[in-house]
Amino acid sequence: TCTPLVKMTFAFIRKPSYYIHYSLLPVIFFVLVSWASFFISRQAAPARVAITAISLLTIMSRVNAVLAGLPHLSGSVWLLDFMNISVYFSIYANLEYGLANFLMRMEARIEKRKMEVLKKMEAPHPIIPDQNKQIPSPSHLSIIPHRNKQTHPPPPPS
């Protein structure tokens, strides 16, 4: 039989500074930038959409760069999990703008309707006659022609 004469143990230590500087910090920065869109006015649609869309695309670019540098793994990697959650945060900022825009349009419709109702309320109301009173109609405004009146043919065209 063969007996082992030498036993060796290797300890590998990886310095994560590369992934911290070139993947983690930029992703955190762009998530903060996309969430900064919450402080931009709802009326500034192009600014909000641009900030959130660019941030989302940049985060996706960093995710693809990390995936290209890692071997194909079947398990979970904390860096990819962190980056995927960051993508969800950035997508939430996009969805929030959609909801804010929808609510802003609904608010404008409600205000428009309120103004229409107020204008109608301020307008003078017509006098409504009493339903039980019979209002006599003058004979010259009567719809039914009188029998004793003569009808004349229309004058010839000239």
Side-chain angles (χ1 to χ4, degrees), residues 25-142:
L25 291 179
V27 166
I28 292 171
F29 172 73
F30 281 107
V31 167
L32 292 175
V33 167
S34 71
W35 278 53
S37 70
F38 295 145
F39 300 104
I40 297 174
S41 173
R42 291 183 297 178
Q43 288 82 14
R48 292 185 70 160
V49 171
I51 284 177
T52 57
I54 290 171
S55 296
L56 177 63
L57 293 174
T58 305
I59 292 170
M60 291 303 297
S61 171
R62 294 307 318 148
V63 169
N64 289 334
V66 169
L67 283 172
L70 291 177
H72 297 286
L73 301 169
S74 62
S76 177
V77 177
W78 73 268
L79 182 60
L80 291 176
D81 292 341
F82 177 82
M83 294 176 107
N84 285 332
I85 291 171
S86 299
V87 167
Y88 298 144
F89 281 142
S90 186
I91 289 173
Y92 173 76
N94 281 317
L95 294 176
E96 186 275 338
Y97 170 71
L99 179 65
N101 190 14
F102 172 75
L103 293 176
M104 183 177 69
R105 287 185 294 154
M106 292 300 292
E107 183 180 8
R109 286 182 191 165
I110 291 170
E111 288 298 320
K112 182 179 176 184
R113 186 69 182 143
K114 277 183 184 177
M115 295 305 290
E116 290 173 359
V117 169
L118 286 176
K119 284 181 182 178
K120 285 182 181 179
M121 290 177 67
E122 291 174 356
H125 295 291
I127 299 173
I128 301 172
D130 188 9
Q131 297 290 334
N132 297 331
K133 255 187 177 178
Q134 290 291 338
I135 301 174
S137 64
S139 62
H140 67 280
L141 295 176
S142 178

